[in-house]
Amino acid sequence: MRVAVGDVSISTNGVPMAAHNPVSEKELEAVFKDDPEFGIEALFGDYRDVIFRYIKKHGWGLQHADWLDVLQKSMLELIIKVRAPGFDHRKPLALVFTIAQRRIKDKLRRAKHRPSSNPDAILNHVARDYAGSDFGLKWRYADDIHWDDFRRALHEIVATLPGKQLTVARVFVDNYEDFRERDTYAPLAMLVSRVTGEVETVAGVKSAWHEAKAKIVRELTRRGFNFCDTE
Amino acid sequence: MTDRSKQDRDQRALDALIVSQLRLREQCDNVDIDHLPKLTKEEHEVLASLDSEFINRLLSGGSTSIIDEPTIEVNEELLCAGGMSYGLNRAEEIDERTAAEIELKRNEIIERLERGEGRHE
């Protein structure tokens, strides 16, 4: 099943999301129209795992407790919305994802991260960094790489980095365009210090990022993406 | 760019690859349920424990918490008191020397506990 919801498209092809067959998006719409609060129960009962996995995906760099907190806040916000006059019963699952997305960003900002929102902001920097390396040029024009699979694997691997490396990775990814011109890890160290609340040295942060990258490349290579090893 | 070493330029290209692909992944509007991150066993258990009672409490406006406070066993408290505080144990990786020291300390504490239990008997 595939349903388009607002600006979100949801695919639920044959996924066992609950022990029984989950209610479909269309069925949820009908329930939300008739009895919104029962709709919330049905949605939470059948889709809480999916919502949590969605939160986990977009909230990488946060902690397990943060993801649970986002789940709870998202459900509370949904309750407030369904009780508001003029509630639109259509596409309730997409609504939860939208709410969760916002709560994740709140959580990241509160943790002093700066979740990026402009995908075009890094294009020039990426092009410039690719252009300086034979590897980069190869990656830029590669048409034999399954990029969706690559992105999924990369995301999974990064999410399993240990403590400091994960924090540094999150900050690096979020702020890449801001300090790329200056060619220094000093801004990265400053931003990581804000997140950890401790004084992080330039050398320490640089070392953490390099160790993180080495782990990422090793694991990507193990999974068959052996084009990343620049050594 | 020209004054950078080849290794440095390759590393910057790798940075660009990682950042651009992760950003693309995050900004994709498709919620592809097949490919969301998997749940760990612990996450499965926590989510399974959130029954309809939980959502009913939210609906009734009652406060509820799904985040468990860490429970510390008596022995763990003693381990902390023995010098292995959680604050010191936050490092991401424990090197061999630290691991050996921890093991030594752990053994000392276990011996102390055993001696203490022996006295009570």
Side-chain angles (χ1 to χ4, degrees):
Chain A
M1 183 181 71
R2 190 175 183 83
V3 284
V5 189
D7 57 353
V8 179
S9 170
I10 301 167
S11 160
T12 56
N13 292 341
V15 182
M17 282 164 286
H20 57 283
N21 287 332
V23 290
S24 69
E25 179 83 356
K26 281 287 166 206
E27 289 166 333
L28 273 179
E29 282 189 10
V31 178
F32 269 83
K33 185 180 180 187
D34 187 47
D35 181 350
E37 297 205 351
F38 182 61
I40 289 171
E41 282 184 55
L43 181 146
F44 187 76
D46 277 5
Y47 287 94
R48 61 179 178 259
D49 285 12
V50 173
I51 299 165
F52 188 84
R53 287 166 63 202
Y54 178 84
I55 293 167
K56 196 174 166 179
K57 176 192 167 192
H58 290 278
W60 72 274
L62 293 173
Q63 306 293 315
H64 175 80
D66 296 322
W67 298 330
L68 284 171
D69 192 40
V70 169
L71 176 67
Q72 177 165 325
K73 285 191 166 73
S74 301
M75 294 313 298
L76 276 169
E77 195 170 329
L78 181 65
I79 290 168
I80 292 167
K81 284 198 183 300
V82 302
R83 287 173 176 169
F87 168 70
D88 185 349
H89 66 276
R90 289 170 298 176
K91 304 164 183 175
L93 197 50
L95 177 59
V96 178
F97 288 135
T98 305
I99 293 170
Q101 180 78 267
R102 290 186 192 135
R103 297 292 75 79
I104 292 163
K105 286 191 175 170
D106 287 348
K107 193 63 113 174
L108 284 165
R109 288 195 190 100
R110 214 164 297 135
K112 307 291 183 197
H113 285 290
R114 202 192 70 174
S116 53
S117 56
N118 182 1
D120 297 332
I122 60 169
L123 291 179
N124 287 340
H125 301 281
V126 170
R128 205 171 305 152
D129 280 351
Y130 274 173
S133 158
D134 291 342
F135 287 101
L137 289 170
K138 219 185 297 176
W139 297 332
R140 185 173 184 179
Y141 298 108
D143 55 8
D144 57 344
I145 297 170
H146 297 288
W147 287 110
D148 282 348
D149 294 342
F150 177 80
R151 280 192 281 274
R152 202 156 41 242
L154 175 64
H155 184 268
E156 282 172 11
I157 295 163
V158 170
T160 61
L161 289 172
K164 180 68 69 63
Q165 290 176 21
L166 180 62
T167 303
V168 171
R170 177 89 225 189
V171 175
F172 190 93
V173 171
D174 286 345
N175 297 278
Y176 166 80
E177 65 269 36
D178 283 356
F179 51 72
R180 213 50 182 159
E181 288 297 325
R182 284 180 272 178
D183 197 21
T184 173
Y185 281 87
L188 179 63
M190 191 185 72
L191 292 169
V192 174
S193 299
R194 280 182 56 200
V195 173
T196 62
E198 294 168 14
V199 178
E200 306 288 349
T201 65
V202 173
V205 165
K206 186 174 181 179
S207 164
W209 176 235
H210 280 268
E211 284 168 25
K213 277 197 294 185
K215 279 183 192 167
I216 291 167
V217 169
R218 267 201 307 277
E219 184 56 23
L220 282 169
T221 304
R222 196 186 67 76
R223 296 187 186 200
F225 299 102
N226 53 7
F227 57 88
C228 307
D229 195 349
T230 59
E231 298 298 322
Chain B
M1 187 172 72
T2 50
D3 58 346
R4 289 196 190 112
S5 69
K6 180 183 179 309
Q7 190 186 15
D8 187 24
R9 283 183 277 126
D10 288 343
Q11 283 299 311
R12 289 176 70 92
L14 182 59
D15 291 345
L17 177 72
I18 291 171
V19 171
S20 60
Q21 296 305 310
L22 282 174
R23 289 250 189 128
L24 274 174
R25 165 109 175 134
E26 280 191 52
Q27 279 142 13
C28 177
D29 279 338
N30 287 338
V31 183
D32 186 353
I33 292 172
D34 290 342
H35 296 116
L36 289 173
K38 292 182 177 64
L39 297 178
T40 63
K41 192 178 166 217
E42 184 201 15
E43 287 161 357
H44 258 301
E45 287 170 1
V46 170
L47 291 171
S49 72
L50 300 178
D51 52 15
S52 57
E53 187 58 32
F54 165 77
I55 207 75
N56 285 334
R57 280 202 302 275
L58 290 184
L59 284 166
S60 63
S63 65
T64 182
S65 175
I66 50 179
I67 304 163
D68 288 339
E69 294 298 323
T71 52
I72 302 170
E73 298 293 331
V74 173
N75 284 4
E76 290 296 323
E77 282 180 352
L78 284 168
L79 285 170
C80 289
M84 227 179 72
S85 78
Y86 282 108
L88 291 173
N89 199 26
R90 278 185 306 179
E92 57 198 46
E93 285 176 325
I94 297 173
D95 61 31
E96 281 180 20
R97 189 177 159 196
T98 311
E101 283 175 9
I102 290 169
E103 189 57 30
L104 188 68
K105 184 63 72 180
R106 184 181 287 275
N107 287 338
E108 277 178 21
I109 292 164
I110 289 168
E111 279 175 26
R112 259 176 44 202
L113 283 169
E114 285 173 352
R115 280 202 301 273
E117 281 173 9
R119 276 200 296 274
H120 291 301
E121 283 170 3

